[in-house]
Amino acid sequence: MADKKYVLGMDIGTTSVKVCVFDSDAKEIVAKQSKDTAANIPSDQGIEGNKQDVPKIVSAVHYCVSRLPRDILRHVTKIGVCGQMHGVVLWKNGAWEKIEKDGVINRFEAIRENMSALYTWQDVRCKPEFLDTLPKPDSHLKCYSGYGCATLLWMLKHKPEKLKHFNCSATVQDFVVAMLCDLDTPITSDQNAASWGYFNTEKNEWNIDILKGLDFPVNLLPNIKKSGEIVGSLNSSWNGIPEGTPVGVAMGDLQCSTLATLESRTDAVLNISTSAQLAFVVDGISDIGCKTVEHLPYFNNTYLLVAASLNGGNVLATFVKMLQQWMLEFGFPIPQSKVWEKLIAMGLDAPAETTMRISPHLLGERHSPTARASVENIDLSNIQLGQVFRSLCDSIVDNIHFMMPKDILRNASITRIVGNGSGLSRNKVLQRAVEHYYSLPLEFTCGGDAAKGAAIAVINTQ
């Protein structure tokens, strides 16, 4: 192992932290850990707000890294980081500290008093009527509720005093990089910046003039680096990883997951976990006549053409919890795993054709924020539980197909869809729906791990 050179990859997701150590020579993961963050906290905006406790997220990062083998961590030569996009956390000096044990730094901790909560991508406090008052960004990308700039502009209007307490803001993965490298000013990637709104990907710069015109505190904006670039070095040894180890700029989890999954430019990647995304790589921005897809910065000056739905595994999980609650009210507690197992089995046995039509828009969509879930054409022939579950799975894929029809894939010479995300890999009813709607084979590869993608992204950087 003396000549081994490993890369640590980290994915700071919406519900969990995942880390892995990637052997760049053997092209394989040699160790990995994950932990649910359980970081959600109540919001003063009620169900319209969505906040997470950053110290809990940092604690999950430490938990995962500390449980990787020390003899492997000693040979880590680079660190790559990615995470949930769009969200924003604010902080000021003294937002983290290093904890020593026996004279050795063994963990970093976030100081709750010197930072805000993380306002996540699921935050919907920015209503359409508020967003309509904002100027159009100088960008091919729009700005939606849950995006960093939109959330900060909402605060500027409704809680201006709160912003005055802080001098930095970025995504939570940018915060972690700033903490590891002890950066005075946060640095974000073009991928994360694009996820905030008011960022021009072709100029690689914030819409400073537009934001200044709104009295936006532009001093809060992080500096920009291209995804994959190194932004600093580990400020002290950490669980055996040597001090001075280069750390890459934090990137988007979608891009890193795609990087770990794609085997060919003729592949499209479908991820269904909390939300759902269908994406493939294109060389540049073009008008394909579809308003429900976006061009997001990828790597090496290419873009991902993406249909990003807010409604994915979260809709199915809500349905399962609803059934669980109903049964509990009848006095029959049932484990969630049993509910899933039974639903999938019943869904596979359900008739292929049904007149029931479900709209799965439990959380709306960015292109249609006021859309809501609904069910049509209920009759005596389609109310069996297996048929309802199958219809719900079909509706999630049908919704993605509405956002990115199969003709777009066909015109791009896509020959297969590579599946990703636990919501899809564990659910054969969903898998069958994908092949039906897209008339393409759905395959699962050894890729799909965003933490692995984050490691791969920084391997060849200087």
Side-chain angles (χ1 to χ4, degrees):
M1 188 179 288
D3 59 344
K4 284 289 186 184
K5 292 185 178 180
Y6 297 128
V7 182
L8 176 68
M10 286 194 278
D11 172 27
I12 301 164
T14 306
T15 58
S16 65
V17 169
K18 299 182 179 72
V19 303
C20 73
V21 179
F22 185 71
D23 184 330
S24 54
D25 294 326
K27 302 286 190 289
E28 64 181 13
I29 293 173
V30 295
K32 61 182 179 179
Q33 287 285 340
S34 66
K35 182 173 175 55
D36 288 348
T37 56
N40 282 359
I41 53 177
S43 168
D44 55 3
Q45 297 303 303
I47 60 172
E48 293 178 353
N50 193 281
K51 291 162 56 173
Q52 293 186 342
D53 183 77
V54 178
K56 282 189 177 180
I57 296 172
V58 172
S59 177
V61 171
H62 169 72
Y63 176 94
C64 291
V65 175
S66 67
R67 277 156 180 77
L68 294 170
R70 290 296 177 99
D71 58 335
I72 288 178
L73 291 179
R74 286 190 293 108
H75 296 279
V76 166
T77 59
K78 282 180 185 173
I79 299 173
V81 181
C82 71
Q84 51 174 305
M85 296 188 291
H86 309 296
V88 55
V89 57
L90 300 115
W91 69 92
K92 59 185 177 181
N93 296 341
W96 55 78
E97 64 179 344
K98 293 178 282 190
I99 307 300
E100 286 190 20
K101 184 178 181 182
D102 300 326
V104 177
I105 303 296
N106 75 332
R107 65 184 294 152
F108 292 84
E109 286 188 357
I111 308 301
R112 189 174 286 107
E113 293 73 25
N114 292 334
M115 63 194 315
S116 73
L118 165 65
Y119 301 85
T120 81
W121 60 274
Q122 297 181 102
D123 194 287
V124 292
R125 72 185 65 211
C126 297
K127 296 299 179 190
E129 48 270 28
F130 170 74
L131 294 171
D132 287 345
T133 67
L134 303 179
K136 185 178 182 297
D138 173 23
S139 172
H140 71 282
L141 296 168
K142 296 179 181 178
C143 186
Y144 298 105
S145 189
Y147 283 30
C149 283
T151 302
L152 292 174
L153 285 165
W154 185 93
M155 286 185 183
L156 184 65
K157 179 177 180 179
H158 297 282
K159 298 184 176 183
E161 290 304 312
K162 187 177 184 72
L163 295 181
K164 294 177 182 175
H165 292 307
F166 306 105
N167 57 14
C168 296
S169 72
T171 69
V172 66
Q173 56 268 31
D174 295 320
F175 173 83
V176 169
V177 168
M179 178 183 70
L180 295 178
C181 299
D182 203 21
L183 300 177
D184 292 330
T185 302
I187 301 173
T188 195
S189 63
D190 55 339
Q191 293 175 359
N192 283 330
S195 79
W196 266 30
Y198 291 97
F199 177 78
N200 188 303
T201 64
E202 293 168 295
K203 297 177 183 175
N204 202 44
E205 60 185 34
W206 297 108
N207 297 168
I208 294 294
D209 291 342
I210 294 174
L211 292 172
K212 279 184 175 178
L214 298 168
D215 292 325
F216 183 97
V218 294
N219 62 296
L220 289 176
L221 293 171
N223 294 333
I224 310 293
K225 288 272 191 182
K226 282 285 189 179
S227 296
E229 292 186 9
I230 300 299
V231 295
S233 58
L234 194 59
N235 184 250
S236 61
S237 62
W238 180 39
N239 289 294
I241 305 173
E243 179 180 350
T245 300
V247 181
V249 65
M251 298 162 285
D253 52 0
L254 171 62
Q255 288 90 337
C256 287
S257 175
T258 303
L259 182 65
T261 305
L262 277 178
E263 295 180 353
S264 164
R265 284 284 289 263
T266 59
D267 289 345
V269 174
L270 175 61
N271 176 71
I272 301 180
S273 47
T274 304
S275 52
Q277 304 90 19
L278 179 62
F280 59 89
V281 180
V282 294
D283 289 323
I285 301 168
S286 61
D287 183 4
I288 61 170
C290 185
K291 296 187 186 305
T292 48
V293 298
E294 294 183 308
H295 292 77
L296 303 184
Y298 190 49
F299 295 98
N300 301 318
N301 297 315
T302 61
Y303 286 81
L304 279 184
L305 187 67
V306 183
S309 170
L310 300 178
N311 300 281
N314 45 11
V315 174
L316 295 176
T318 301
F319 182 71
V320 167
K321 288 176 185 173
M322 179 185 75
L323 292 178
Q324 247 191 321
Q325 183 61 34
W326 285 358
M327 295 307 295
L328 188 61
E329 289 171 9
F330 279 112
F332 300 102
I334 300 178
Q336 202 168 105
S337 59
K338 287 289 184 187
V339 181
W340 278 109
E341 183 183 322
K342 191 70 174 174
L343 283 174
I344 291 171
M346 295 168 73
L348 289 170
D349 289 338
E353 297 299 324
T354 178
T355 55
M356 179 183 289
R357 291 289 174 265
I358 298 178
S359 165
H361 300 131
L362 198 63
L363 298 163
E365 290 290 7
R366 292 192 177 112
H367 63 272
S368 182
T370 58
R372 289 297 176 261
S374 62
V375 187
E376 294 180 346
N377 298 330
I378 303 172
D379 60 39
L380 293 175
S381 70
N382 58 24
I383 55 176
Q384 289 78 16
L385 186 54
Q387 287 179 287
V388 175
F389 183 70
R390 174 161 184 162
S391 295
L392 184 57
C393 289
D394 283 352
S395 75
I396 289 170
V397 179
D398 185 30
N399 182 50
I400 298 168
H401 183 261
F402 168 79
M403 296 176 70
M404 186 184 284
K406 62 183 176 183
D407 285 349
I408 292 179
L409 274 64
R410 185 182 295 121
N411 293 339
S413 301
I414 299 299
T415 58
R416 70 168 180 169
I417 295 174
V418 181
N420 191 9
S422 57
L424 182 59
S425 63
R426 298 174 185 170
N427 189 337
K428 286 190 170 10
V429 185
L430 267 182
Q431 294 169 24
R432 194 160 64 178
V434 173
E435 294 187 326
H436 169 73
Y437 279 95
Y438 280 97
S439 305
L440 286 171
L442 172 67
E443 299 177 18
F444 291 87
T445 67
C446 62
D449 191 305
K452 175 183 171 182
I456 293 170
V458 299
I459 284 174
N460 295 320
T461 53
Q462 299 299 315

